[in-house]
Amino acid sequence: LVEDHLAGRRGGEPIDVVSLSLGYYPEWDPDSIAYDLAITAAIARLRAAGVLVVCAAGNDATTRPRMPAALSAVASDLPPLLAVGALNPDRATDALFTNAGPWVSDHRVGASVVSTLPPFDTAEQAAVATSFQGRQRRGPDAGCFTTPGEKAPDGGFGVWSGTSFAAPVLAAELARHLALPGLGARDSVDERRRRAVAAVGQVTGRG
């Protein structure tokens, strides 16, 4: 879409930031290597078009590089890819679950995040369940917000934790910084890259 936009083709969109709340650990087999090359190439095309790519670092409390976030450590002349770890709500300490390492470039709050929640039922079961004096006792069912026979609610709020929530926070900060007069104008690729790098510097404090 952004390449179509830059070329002036119909249907293009002036995308400035892409947030990826996903990832995997590479395996050294032909299928995985082919997949690594494919996702790396796709992200490189976005960055070459002046798009900032923000990735969740992962929730396994490990320093093992996780793709595609680990691409943040690869030297490049393109606008940076940002790998985001999770902070606790105090904004001063890292969440226990967050991945770490030199490839994690940034941190934002990702533990006990309160956000809007659409109606859904994943059929997820409670982790613990028992009974006492004829009454059922169990832990909360994080995947269901209805009672038997009740119409699904229109949505509300939920509390979640994960780097998948930290990454969009940084992506939103970058998008807000880029939302300046003239956004959507067909800037040159060089101008888009310059603006992207400047936004990272302003939002993260890095030169």
Side-chain angles (χ1 to χ4, degrees), residues 28-127:
W28 299 112
D29 62 74
D31 290 340
S32 178
I33 291 171
Y35 186 78
D36 295 346
L37 293 173
I39 195 168
T40 299
I43 288 175
R45 288 176 63 185
L46 286 169
R47 296 168 67 190
V51 178
L52 289 171
V53 180
V54 182
C55 300
N59 310 322
D60 300 304
T62 180
T63 58
R64 181 182 178 188
R66 182 175 185 261
M67 287 285 286
L71 294 173
S72 66
V74 178
S76 174
D77 293 331
L78 300 175
L81 178 145
L82 299 96
V84 188
L87 296 174
N88 287 313
D90 63 10
R91 293 175 170 80
T93 57
D94 292 353
L96 281 173
F97 59 78
T98 190
N99 286 357
W103 53 276
V104 180
S105 62
D106 297 274
H107 292 81
R108 290 295 185 273
V109 174
S112 300
V113 176
V114 179
S115 185
T116 53
L117 183 73
F120 74 103
D121 183 352
T122 65
E124 180 181 341
Q125 300 297 309

Side-chain angles (χ1 to χ4, degrees), residues 123-178:
E124 180 181 341
Q125 300 297 309
V128 179
T130 185
S131 62
F132 180 70
Q133 294 182 347
R135 295 183 61 85
Q136 294 294 312
R137 300 170 65 87
R138 67 178 192 175
D141 182 350
C144 180
F145 292 83
T146 62
T147 56
E150 180 187 30
K151 176 182 177 294
D154 295 328
F157 294 87
V159 180
W160 299 81
S161 294
T163 59
S164 286
F165 301 96
V169 171
L170 179 55
E173 292 176 11
L174 292 165
R176 181 176 61 183
H177 185 81
L178 289 166

